[in-house]
Amino acid sequence: MSWSSFEDAPMIGRTLYVLLAITIISSFDVVLGGSNPSILDAPTLTQKIGTNRTIKVGLSGQKGEINSIQAAIDSVPDGNTNWVIIHVRRGVYREKVTIPEKKPYIFLRGNGKGKTAISWSHSSVDNTESATLKILAPHVVVFGLSIKNDAPTGIAFSSQNQSVAALVGADMVSFYHCAFHSTHNTLFDYKGRHYYHNCYIQGSIDFIFGRAQSVFRNCEIFVVEDKRIEIHGSITAQNRPASNEGSGFVFLGGKVYGVGQVYLGRAKGAFSRVVFVKTYISNTVVPEGWSIWRYDGGSTENLYQAEYKCYGPGAARDKRAKWAKQLTDKEVAPFLSIDFINGKDWLPAWF
């Protein structure tokens, strides 16, 4: 089915198509790469990191394997300065996982986002408390892993409504071929420089939020409808505190689709900065595109909510919010590569 056919199909047909798409996406595994240079697979990342120091994690109880991801992380010495691979074999690991700030240089390697998952169920008024995975150490790489918070969607605007899948609160953290599953506040992209490569991110309201400086390369953004509220949800809620702050979310390529309707983003502060570049946008994004919902700053003068050569039925420009920007070639230039996050200085691999 083509994208145009998808947009024109009846709701039941669209829903079935979306469910099929989720199944395919969730089961996709790129642990073994091919000749395509855009596939950054686990062997490539391992080679770039340059270590054979490995801790194995598995649920089957095989000799030499630890049965808990957290136990494996705890075994890494504080102040670690050499890369260590924590190879998490297939299975669903029902646990909360934290990489504390004193344990950098960890490569958390799954067997594929459809095969290896960390899953927990927790809603809370505290985004930090609810997170299934917390990364607080710099120099962390995550590959081929699904991170899920499967807490039931709570009462809108209540303390039981925030169910974070992952909190990324350190500098120089990268994710390759990972998936983030929740509904409300899925990915807390808290602070630091981050890179997301070919990832899948699902949610309904503010499901990519924080004040980090991040590039999302060829990511799939899937919208889950939230029927409890009258307002539309939002994909992003970026909070840049000042004009001299380097933070912002940049989406290069990829696609936005799903069920229900959302904004591309809402202002989380006066200098909120989000840029979509050459992204396919389905009509799950409302014509206005951007919102200042619950932003009390008044003026929109310093908001940087922008698009460049996006396409698809949800990318139409004629009804976009008046403060939203359609960037020129010159204006978009600083956002077009991993230089936005100084990635050549710290990323193991990119394209």
Side-chain angles (χ1 to χ4, degrees), residues 1 21 30 44 48 68 85-86 97 121 132 144 189-190 223 227 229 232 235 243 267 269 273 285 313 337:
M1 179 184 285
V30 290
T44 299
K48 294 289 186 180
S68 162
I85 300 169
I86 297 179
V97 174
S121 178
T132 299
D189 201 41
Y190 177 31
V223 176
K227 295 182 178 180
I229 55 175
H232 301 296
I235 293 168
S243 60
R273 180 163 66 172
V285 171
S337 74

Side-chain angles (χ1 to χ4, degrees), residues 181-246:
H181 296 262
S182 185
T183 54
H184 194 290
N185 292 26
T186 304
L187 175 56
F188 189 1
D189 201 41
Y190 177 31
K191 61 181 179 179
R193 293 168 295 172
H194 309 148
Y195 181 63
Y196 300 86
H197 178 95
N198 281 32
C199 291
Y200 172 86
I201 308 165
Q202 171 189 296
S204 59
I205 297 177
D206 293 359
F207 61 98
I208 304 172
F209 72 106
R211 57 182 177 88
Q213 184 172 345
S214 299
V215 169
F216 297 80
R217 176 75 178 189
N218 285 353
C219 290
E220 295 196 34
I221 311 300
F222 185 81
V223 176
V224 179
E225 187 172 23
D226 188 337
K227 295 182 178 180
R228 303 165 306 153
I229 55 175
E230 293 181 3
I231 64 161
H232 301 296
S234 57
I235 293 168
T236 63
Q238 203 278 336
N239 185 12
R240 185 167 63 132
S243 60
N244 61 353
E245 171 83 27

Side-chain angles (χ1 to χ4, degrees), residues 43 63 72-73 103 137 169 191 197 240 255 259 265 272 325:
K63 184 178 179 180
I73 292 168
K103 297 182 186 290
K191 61 181 179 179
H197 178 95
R240 185 167 63 132
K255 58 177 171 274
V259 178
S272 180
K325 304 178 186 297

